[in-house]
Amino acid sequence: MGNIFNTNSFITPIEFLKGVGPDRAVLLRKELEIFTFGDLIKYFPYRYIDRSKFYSIRDAVDANAFIQMKGNISKVQIVGLGRAKRLTALFTDETGSVELVWFNGIKWVEELLVHKEPFVVFGKVSIFNQKANITHPEIEVLSSFQNKANSGFRALYNTSDKMKTRGLDSKGMAKLIHALFIQLTEEQFYENLPQNLLENYRLWSRYLALKKIHFPDNIEDQQNAIRRLKFEELFLIQLGMIKNKLIRKKENGILFGPLAEKFNGFYNNFLPFNLTNAQKRVLKEIRKDTLSGSQMNRLLQGDVGSGKTIVALLSILMAIDSGFQALLMAPTEILAKQHFDDISKMMSFIGVKVAFLTGSVKGKARTEILHQLKEGEINLIIGTHALIEDTVQFLKLGLVVIDEQHRFGVAQRAKLWLKNELPPHVLVMTATPIPRTLAMTLYGDLDVSILDELPPGRKPITTIHKTEAHRLHVLGFMKEQIRLGRQIYIVYPLIVESEKMDMKNLMDGFEQISNTFPLPEYKICIVHGKMKPSEKEAEMDRFVRNETQIMVATTVIEVGVNVPNASVMIIENSERFGLSQLHQLRGRVGRGAEQSFCILMTGNKLTQEGKKRVKTMVETNDGFKISEVDLEIRGPGELQGTRQSGGLNLKIANLITDVKILEEARKAAFLLLEEDLLLEKPINFGLKRYLNAETNEKNNWGKIS
Ligand code: ADP
Ligand code: MG
């Protein structure tokens, strides 16, 4: 055993590696962000190739590498049109078969496949639509095949053109990594996972895994190495989050009292409808948290329209009955105002004092509100991120509700915690369902409640895809709907890079609509981000009161806005929106008893991705399904503002394909912490040392969700 107080060799600057002079060091830093030994060791291969043997098709499916197989080819055919045109063929040996697909070089492949004899196929099997296939394999007639072997089982690395001119191609990188394994001893690869965990989950040691991920002798090596490293990555994230959560549950928090006058008075006399069972269940969960004696940190997930607001409101009444103030924060001025209008109306019946505070509340009015808050005269304050400011102080803040949380950064949220001596209970609500794996990873330290039931009587929204050629139809349809007494949203994209163009599109659209739907029969309004808050509000109000029938808008109306009589959502240039945004926009309709429609207008040419988004929207109303597809298309980094909140930055694990490992890792983390919450046992020493080193490197944002 080496001295445990050795400094960590992984942070040694890369120029201290044999074979890396100052020039190469600069390249490695600039091109690949490799600064240290550790960075180089964690520069994992992007692909493996195995020319050392022939695989059977049965084994090929799990190989996860570029490998060679021999067999016969049949069923050669050309399918699809345009860009989707492809040649497919069936490749078979004694153990099974797999589909081969070519999008390019179709003619060449077709000619080659005329030979009715065995072929050698080289490529990587992947699963697409639950079918095994190989895209663009290399093929050769077996009889003329010459094994390019000798290369055996090899890892390949991405490098840049610049690096290649200095000898740092894939091979060059492999050499450097090899040198590193010579320069470092095995002990210098500190094991961070406890021995019993390695045994229980049959995980390789850190040293072996890091070595074999770069230099595997065979598929098993490669797979064992990858599994260990994925497990480690996911386990450490889970451990950090669960640890925070368990510690928080041990610390003292605000204790709510029994339900009293306000809650009961409202619930028994003024609740406008019966709660759904899901709403009741979630309220019980919240009730239990706030009586537990420690701080609540709960994520409430519920699809658009599932009725999160009333859950929030009843929770707020629990706080008020217990003698506390509450805060409700929304991501936009419009939404905050709408919450304020709805809620203050309901609250006036039971004598709860509600106030509104955003950036646009100024001067004397603002001073007065701040004063009353501090004196405890205001029970509930509703507003935007202006509520985070230090000048906003409370007498006794007991509950913070954050609506549509993905608009807020984690650091912003954390500031709210500090507004009371004991941290207030926190309820975070989101309408964009997050896939379970992502929720476990991002919000592993929050308890999760799900509203999985829509209020009764809702008709599913019908979603239709139309192009410019159908414009007249769409206009006709709009007229018909207005005649039936409904209201319509038309939304235009607004992206900062081409703001001028977008603004012009919006204005052109507004003009076209105004010409098509002449006054006085139709009244049209427009809302966009460049308007003053008071103007926006006035337009929104008119629409809410059904004084205007058509609202032309940008995505400022994306979240939360609730106008049950609006039953048609037309999204222009919808190919320019992300999936979750489309789903959010669609959620603005379907809120009343009428059949609602969402019309996705697009150009004629769509990218593969654009097509998939539109198709998904047309096919399903289920926010969870949509979020899965979104995750698939965009990757977790793009979802839910994870970028701004510190990012997941997973190096090796994949949240879509590694669900099983994630679940194992989470369970393991729980079990470990149950036994040793503060990581004080000798067996967990490596883990503790590793986490301390990590915390020093980057600030631990997982703590403050
Ligand atoms: P979201 O979860 O998207 O925030 P809201 O809270 O805005 O949804 O609720 C959507 C609509 O459904 C509102 O008009 C609300 O009054 C209504 N609603 C909520 N819960 C119920 C219920 N249990 N029964 C009937 N209508 C309900
Ligand atoms: Mg809402």
Side-chain angles (χ1 to χ4, degrees):
M1 270 294 277
N3 184 340
I4 52 166
F5 297 111
N6 274 350
T7 46
N8 182 357
S9 330
F10 277 33
I11 60 175
T12 311
I14 196 68
E15 47 262 60
F16 290 94
L17 179 64
K18 215 174 146 220
V20 180
D23 287 355
R24 283 187 162 188
V26 170
L27 268 181
L28 287 167
R29 280 195 290 263
K30 279 217 174 121
E31 303 285 307
L32 302 180
E33 293 189 11
I34 294 175
F35 290 84
T36 62
F37 282 17
D39 292 338
L40 182 62
I41 288 171
K42 289 183 194 158
Y43 193 67
F44 298 136
Y46 76 97
R47 140 184 322 182
Y48 294 88
I49 57 176
D50 188 359
R51 290 271 193 189
S52 67
K53 63 167 187 178
F54 285 104
Y55 280 73
S56 69
I57 290 177
R58 186 178 48 215
D59 293 342
V61 176
D62 293 323
N64 199 24
F66 285 71
I67 52 168
Q68 53 194 26
M69 295 150 273
K70 5 177 211 201
N72 290 301
I73 288 182
S74 60
K75 296 195 182 156
V76 179
Q77 54 184 331
I78 292 179
V79 292
L81 285 174
R83 268 201 278 175
K85 183 174 163 184
R86 59 200 185 271
L87 185 147
T88 64
L90 197 68
F91 179 60
T92 312
D93 70 3
E94 312 81 61
T95 66
S97 57
V98 57
E99 190 184 49
L100 309 179
V101 187
W102 288 267
F103 291 93
N104 307 320
I106 290 180
K107 222 171 148 213
W108 182 84
V109 177
E110 213 177 2
E111 278 164 22
L112 187 65
L113 293 185
V114 170
H115 299 271
K116 296 281 171 256
E117 47 180 314
F119 278 86
V120 174
V121 165
F122 177 78
K124 184 177 163 190
V125 178
S126 43
I127 304 292
F128 185 74
N129 283 343
Q130 276 136 36
K131 255 171 65 185
N133 76 30
I134 306 177
T135 312
H136 286 161
E138 289 175 27
I139 47 167
E140 259 174 85
V141 177
L142 179 62
S143 54
S144 62
F145 174 74
Q146 296 189 336
N147 202 345
K148 299 176 183 66
N150 313 337
S151 53
F153 197 93
R154 245 176 352 112
L156 297 186
Y157 300 90
N158 272 320
T159 70
S160 68
D161 288 343
K162 229 182 192 169
M163 295 178 74
K164 281 175 192 147
T165 62
R166 315 272 175 96
L168 285 180
D169 55 3
S170 178
K171 256 196 191 133
M173 289 299 287
K175 262 191 202 153
L176 288 187
I177 296 169
H178 189 71
L180 207 148
F181 275 92
I182 292 174
Q183 203 161 319
L184 294 182
T185 63
E186 184 168 345
E187 287 106 72
Q188 284 171 301
F189 287 76
Y190 297 135
E191 179 56 65
N192 49 12
L193 301 184
Q195 196 55 38
N196 56 347
L197 191 83
L198 297 183
E199 282 160 20
N200 289 345
Y201 291 88
R202 296 211 197 112
L203 297 169
W204 274 10
S205 75
R206 189 152 179 257
Y207 171 73
L208 193 60
L210 286 171
K211 184 160 184 183
K212 292 295 182 183
I213 195 170
H214 294 291
F215 307 107
D217 292 322
N218 50 47
I219 290 282
E220 290 77 48
D221 278 5
Q222 176 228 2
Q223 285 174 346
N224 277 319
I226 288 179
R227 176 161 171 271
R228 145 78 204 214
L229 294 170
K230 285 182 170 177
F231 187 99
E232 173 185 321
E233 182 166 59
L234 295 169
F235 176 80
L236 292 171
I237 295 174
Q238 292 300 320
L239 192 82
M241 280 190 299
I242 297 169
K243 187 162 167 246
N244 288 331
K245 173 167 161 176
L246 294 178
I247 288 177
R248 195 175 60 225
K249 291 202 169 181
K250 290 197 166 194
E251 282 167 358
N252 278 341
I254 290 173
L255 193 62
F256 280 5
L259 301 178
E261 184 201 336
K262 306 294 184 202
F263 184 99
N264 291 329
F266 179 74
Y267 194 92
N268 295 330
N269 305 314
F270 300 105
L271 197 63
F273 36 68
N274 293 323
L275 296 181
T276 63
N277 286 326
Q279 285 168 325
K280 284 184 196 159
R281 188 187 66 235
V282 170
L283 278 165
K284 273 187 201 141
E285 287 164 353
I286 292 168
R287 183 87 190 118
K288 204 168 149 212
D289 285 353
T290 52
L291 292 176
S292 73
S294 61
Q295 188 203 16
M296 169 173 83
N297 259 277
R298 192 165 275 283
L299 175 71
L300 173 54
Q301 268 185 264
D303 212 341
V304 277
S306 57
K308 293 182 290 296
T309 315
I310 198 75
V311 172
L313 186 58
L314 288 166
S315 310
I316 285 166
L317 292 177
M318 292 177 195
I320 296 173
D321 268 345
S322 308
F324 290 96
Q325 293 165 287
L327 176 161
L328 171 59
M329 184 161 80
T332 64
E333 177 113 17
I334 291 182
L335 187 54
K337 185 65 183 3
Q338 185 161 10
H339 275 323
F340 175 74
D341 291 345
D342 294 349
I343 290 174
S344 55
K345 220 177 289 156
M346 291 192 269
M347 293 298 92
S348 65
F349 304 131
I350 53 168
V352 164
K353 179 147 189 198
V354 189
F356 178 70
L357 189 73
T358 66
S360 62
V361 180
K362 296 206 166 87
K364 233 177 130 189
R366 187 178 196 86
T367 320
E368 183 59 16
I369 287 174
L370 291 178
H371 175 76
Q372 290 183 359
L373 261 186
K374 193 152 187 211
E375 295 297 311
E377 288 160 23
I378 291 171
N379 303 115
L380 167 62
I381 182 91
I382 298 178
T384 53
H385 49 271
L387 295 172
I388 294 175
E389 284 165 27
D390 293 333
T391 49
V392 180
Q393 292 173 9
F394 295 80
L395 181 67
K396 262 180 103 182
L397 180 63
L399 174 67
V400 167
V401 181
I402 304 178
D403 198 6
E404 317 291 353
Q405 66 78 225
H406 61 282
R407 296 276 176 116
F408 293 106
V410 175
Q412 287 177 306
R413 262 182 271 153
K415 272 188 130 181
L416 291 169
W417 284 33
L418 303 174
K419 291 194 184 283
N420 199 60
E421 211 173 286
L422 282 178
H425 296 301
V426 178
L427 181 65
V428 167
M429 308 199 288
T430 173
T432 315
I434 310 158
R436 206 168 48 94
T437 51
L438 191 62
M440 265 197 276
T441 313
L442 273 184
Y443 306 109
D445 61 336
L446 304 190
D447 295 300
V448 179
S449 291
I450 296 182
L451 284 180
D452 50 7
E453 185 185 352
L454 291 180
R458 293 274 167 79
K459 295 201 179 82
I461 301 162
T462 304
T463 303
I464 309 156
H465 174 206
K466 294 280 176 198
T467 59
E468 213 44 49
H470 305 105
R471 179 65 68 184
L472 279 180
H473 264 104
V474 174
L475 293 172
F477 175 74
M478 289 169 65
K479 283 193 176 152
E480 189 186 302
Q481 287 292 307
I482 292 174
R483 225 165 278 137
L484 289 169
R486 318 275 187 269
Q487 289 163 280
I488 297 173
Y489 296 103
I490 307 177
V491 177
Y492 285 82
L494 198 55
I495 318 181
V496 186
E497 295 105 67
S498 53
E499 207 174 329
K500 267 204 188 123
M501 270 299 288
D502 287 333
M503 205 57 187
K504 185 171 178 306
N505 281 347
L506 178 75
M507 288 308 172
D508 288 351
F510 179 63
E511 210 178 293
Q512 185 197 27
I513 293 297
S514 306
N515 292 336
T516 317
F517 296 88
L519 285 163
E521 202 183 340
Y522 309 96
K523 293 190 202 69
I524 303 164
C525 63
I526 184 165
V527 174
H528 57 80
K530 284 266 155 6
M531 290 162 67
K532 282 194 198 132
S534 57
E535 290 169 356
K536 272 191 270 183
E537 228 169 74
E539 292 301 330
M540 272 313 295
D541 282 346
R542 293 206 308 147
F543 192 68
V544 170
R545 288 197 299 268
N546 199 359
E547 289 168 14
T548 49
Q549 286 80 48
I550 302 177
M551 170 172 283
V552 177
T554 58
T555 48
V556 290
I557 61 150
E558 181 188 341
V559 271
V561 173
N562 189 26
V563 182
N565 190 51
S567 66
V568 181
M569 166 62 69
I570 297 173
I571 307 177
E572 297 287 346
N573 297 114
S574 59
E575 66 270 34
R576 286 172 58 186
F577 292 89
L579 254 185
S580 69
Q581 212 177 10
L582 289 174
H583 182 60
Q584 282 287 330
L585 285 169
R586 177 169 61 184
R588 297 311 107 217
V589 297
R591 305 188 145 242
E594 308 303 336
Q595 174 63 53
S596 290
F597 302 87
C598 174
I599 301 176
L600 302 173
M601 300 297 298
T602 71
N604 286 320
K605 282 206 176 121
L606 291 180
T607 59
Q608 284 296 100
E609 211 189 292
K611 264 187 215 151
K612 183 149 192 189
R613 285 199 296 258
V614 170
K615 183 165 175 272
T616 307
M617 286 295 292
V618 170
E619 278 173 6
T620 183
N621 272 305
D622 181 338
F624 279 91
K625 270 198 200 126
I626 288 171
S627 72
E628 300 277 355
V629 178
D630 205 21
L631 184 64
E632 210 180 293
I633 296 181
R634 301 202 291 170
E638 300 280 342
L639 277 186
Q640 292 291 320
T642 51
R643 281 256 169 91
Q644 94 216 17
S645 45
L648 283 170
N649 203 10
L650 294 178
K651 267 214 140 57
I652 185 163
N654 176 320
L655 290 182
I656 301 162
T657 49
D658 296 327
V659 182
K660 229 181 103 199
I661 300 180
L662 175 60
E663 278 168 354
E664 269 184 333
R666 184 167 169 81
K667 197 172 126 207
F670 251 118
L671 290 177
L672 188 147
L673 290 167
E674 259 176 17
E675 302 251 306
D676 186 14
L677 181 56
L678 301 177
L679 305 178
E680 286 166 338
K681 289 190 176 171
I683 195 169
N684 294 327
F685 172 77
L687 200 49
K688 188 167 187 174
R689 174 180 55 194
Y690 181 86
L691 290 176
N692 286 343
E694 283 278 288
T695 328
N696 289 340
E697 266 175 49
K698 56 177 184 211
N699 61 342
N700 185 1
W701 67 274
K703 214 170 184 164
I704 39 171
S705 288

